[in-house]
Amino acid sequence: MRSKQTSFDIAYRAGVSQSTVSRALRNSPLVNEETRRRVQEIAKELNYKVDKNASSLRTQQSGTIALLLFEDPTNDDSLINPFFLSMLGSITRASAKKGYDLLVSFQQMSNDWHADFEDTRKADGIILLGYGDYTDYEEKLVQLIKQETHFVRWGADVKGLSVVSVGCDNFHGGYQVTEHVINNKRKSFAFLGGVSTGSPEFLARYNGHCQALEDHKLKVDPNLQIDAISTNESGYEAAQKLIATGIKFDAICAASDLIAIGAMRAMQDAGYNVPDGIAIVGFDDIATASSTSPALTTAKQDTVLAGELLVDKLLQLVTGEEAKTQLMPTTLVVRKSCGS
Amino acid sequence: MRSKQTSFDIAYRAGVSQSTVSRALRNSPLVNEETRRRVQEIAKELNYKVDKNASSLRTQQSGTIALLLFEDPTNDDSLINPFFLSMLGSITRASAKKGYDLLVSFQQMSNDWHADFEDTRKADGIILLGYGDYTDYEEKLVQLIKQETHFVRWGADVKGLSVVSVGCDNFHGGYQVTEHVINNKRKSFAFLGGVSTGSPEFLARYNGHCQALEDHKLKVDPNLQIDAISTNESGYEAAQKLIATGIKFDAICAASDLIAIGAMRAMQDAGYNVPDGIAIVGFDDIATASSTSPALTTAKQDTVLAGELLVDKLLQLVTGEEAKTQLMPTTLVVRKSCGS
DNA sequence: ATAATCCATGCATACGTATGCATTTTAAGC
DNA sequence: GCTTAAAATGCATACGTATGCATGGATTAT
């Protein structure tokens, strides 16, 4: 029952050649309509499915996109940053919509990831997802370009490299949320998130944050910027360090929702009132952001749109078209963590 | 620079035949150690990578696992149930650990998903993930079995079918959380979650819930069971309906965390106090559960273990070994939503 | 020295599809 | 009716790898 059906079997049943079967199934105009119908009918009857390996081997196209997901190695190994998880979901959807399969792979930055998929012909192109805060990241991008691998990446534009990126406007997002807090009459701002050592994303958000303060004639106190990576725990600890400085502040801008959520808990545990005593804003708008108490005001990154853009641009590259880096705006989502 | 390297190129450079190259790269004992080293060195130098399509075509093995993710079609199209998203993450990790690539695909139940992957030789086996609450689900499983497709599924065991499943003990989990609430001196219990129309998972949780009540001589009031699907919104609405019945209750057991979270908000919006007035428990232990206010007490499903089990068992099937259905225990995670 | 044994390698082929080119069939033109 | 064009099909081959079988050389045993 299970012996695999090939196009030759269909050909035999239909009384035509294998070539004709192949053409008929691919709706080639070269084949007579009547023949095509017959072939397709038989194919369906026999539950025939094209062998993708053979097909890919012949055409040198796999109909597959590879998604490489880089994670902060300091994170708990078993959990994925919910923001990237959300991106993963939208990319999956977007590629399915385009008729492409999605090969998902977690990566340690140490690996030879730059070659592992397109070079093995398993994928037509690659999507790079993760924070670009690794020392040899750019170097590997250069390798990818040299190999003429088709790829797009999530994140800020890389200066000097002809790389197609889709990212959100972190600077503006940082500006946006900070300005919102300023409008709520806060005067002394802290910022939680790695700036010097951290990702370029965090840095851009911080820069936006500072710009907003300056534009409103408020002071930027470097002592109130505490490094943190994007986890609850790190946010919690950063907030504790913040309190330990003894410096007074009435607002916290976090580089990500996870940090904000951890910080919020730390402040509450320390007896502060949010938002009356301390205003807190995050960044990303992950699912949990709407469920905290008070619900978290944040800068939303549109993951659905992002996924579609990444896939669209990658496929443009694959088909030889031009594709341009694109910056998406963030949306201010006002909830309760700033007072109004 | 980019013209693709084949095993013939390596063979030419090494002064041996293509066969020897193939064997050398696969560490066949047939090839001389010295030769093997030389070949492997040259391969690395030329940045040669085996063409997986050709390899798969030849060996009829793809080194790939397909993950089919079914979602409740009534959900918002752009979001994925965080529990399944978490499963996706752990499965990705688990298959990477085994050296397999993971092909991820979202599915509408209406499609011919039962054939789409293994039959096209893109995957060696299939993992089915999603609630099994669809009318023709079993029928399609039967088809899969008939085709001798290798697959495992997440969920409760299917009676009468020789299918390998990995699931958690929903009955016991439902029992567990309910008993915990009972120990907190609650007397009148409501249950939110589709039972008659819904998934077998929800039904099992409900049955465990009822059993716990009976064992403690408490009444089960069918009027306090309200249908809901696994979303915040549905939970919110269900809680509203619950209030609208006018019947008194002091505890809510929800069939999932999302439902519980929605219900919690509905109760709070209606002026009830959680947990003092109303105790609430969920099911799953999604990330958000720890961030609600009060933090949600729930029955945790171990997604990391689940992912590993699914992958392990599938690979056992692929290699011709026996694999058995396995039921995982749930863990009671006590937070604040029940009072203690 | 000859036969028997073993080790290392090469030759040839199959996996299943897609497609350039040759060939046959059908229709059209005069 | 014969030539020419167009439409439909078949033939042959290539994609790159893995492997059964044959071959050649080296080693050992008799």
Side-chain angles (χ1 to χ4, degrees), chain A residues 67 80 88 102-107 117 122, chain B residues 62-67 86-104 123-127 152 303-315 318:
Chain A
L67 174 62
I80 310 178
L88 192 161
L102 190 71
L103 208 45
V104 175
S105 171
F106 285 79
Q107 290 293 326
F117 282 100
K122 265 204 170 184
Chain B
S62 63
T64 301
I65 293 174
L67 174 62
S86 165
M87 287 288 294
L88 192 161
S90 73
I91 290 171
T92 308
R93 276 235 166 63
S95 53
K97 203 187 287 181
K98 293 286 185 176
Y100 275 71
D101 293 318
L102 190 71
L103 209 44
V104 176
D124 296 332
I126 300 178
I127 296 177
V152 297
T303 55
V304 174
L305 176 60
E308 285 175 358
L309 286 176
L310 283 167
V311 170
D312 287 354
K313 286 175 189 298
L314 178 60
L315 293 184
V318 168

Side-chain angles (χ1 to χ4, degrees), chain A residues 7-8 18 22 48 58:
Chain A
S7 47
F8 285 97
Q18 181 268 334
S22 175
Y48 166 81
R58 176 64 227 249

Side-chain angles (χ1 to χ4, degrees), chain A residues 79-116:
Chain A
L79 293 175
I80 310 178
N81 181 321
F83 171 72
F84 289 125
L85 212 42
S86 164
M87 286 289 293
L88 192 161
S90 72
I91 290 172
T92 308
R93 276 236 163 64
S95 52
K97 203 188 288 181
K98 293 286 184 173
Y100 276 71
D101 292 318
L102 190 71
L103 208 45
V104 175
S105 171
F106 285 79
Q107 290 293 326
Q108 313 289 1
M109 287 305 282
S110 51
N111 291 347
D112 277 353
W113 54 269
H114 53 281
D116 267 13

Side-chain angles (χ1 to χ4, degrees), chain A residues 313-334:
Chain A
K313 286 176 189 296
L314 178 60
L315 293 183
Q316 283 169 21
L317 289 179
V318 169
T319 57
E321 297 172 50
E322 284 284 321
K324 278 200 207 154
T325 285
Q326 185 163 344
L327 211 56
M328 306 190 320
T330 55
T331 315
L332 180 66
V333 178
V334 178

Side-chain angles (χ1 to χ4, degrees), chain B residues 82-132:
Chain B
F83 171 72
F84 289 126
L85 211 42
S86 165
M87 287 288 294
L88 192 161
S90 73
I91 290 171
T92 308
R93 276 235 166 63
S95 53
K97 203 187 287 181
K98 293 286 185 176
Y100 275 71
D101 293 318
L102 190 71
L103 209 44
V104 176
S105 171
F106 285 77
Q107 290 293 326
Q108 314 288 2
M109 288 306 282
S110 50
N111 290 348
D112 277 352
W113 54 272
H114 55 279
D116 266 11
F117 282 100
E118 203 191 311
D119 277 8
T120 62
R121 303 284 153 179
K122 266 204 172 184
D124 296 332
I126 300 178
I127 296 177
L128 264 34
L129 187 56
Y131 290 133

Side-chain angles (χ1 to χ4, degrees), chain B residues 246-300:
Chain B
I247 310 175
K248 270 188 61 177
F249 59 92
D250 54 11
I252 296 177
C253 295
S256 81
D257 283 354
L258 285 178
I259 295 176
I261 291 168
M264 185 186 291
R265 182 161 339 193
M267 297 311 291
Q268 290 169 336
D269 285 358
Y272 290 83
N273 182 298
V274 181
D276 293 344
I278 305 285
I280 298 184
V281 291
F283 206 109
D284 286 347
D285 194 28
I286 62 176
T288 304
S290 65
S291 297
T292 55
S293 179
L296 187 65
T297 291
T298 190
K300 175 190 172 77

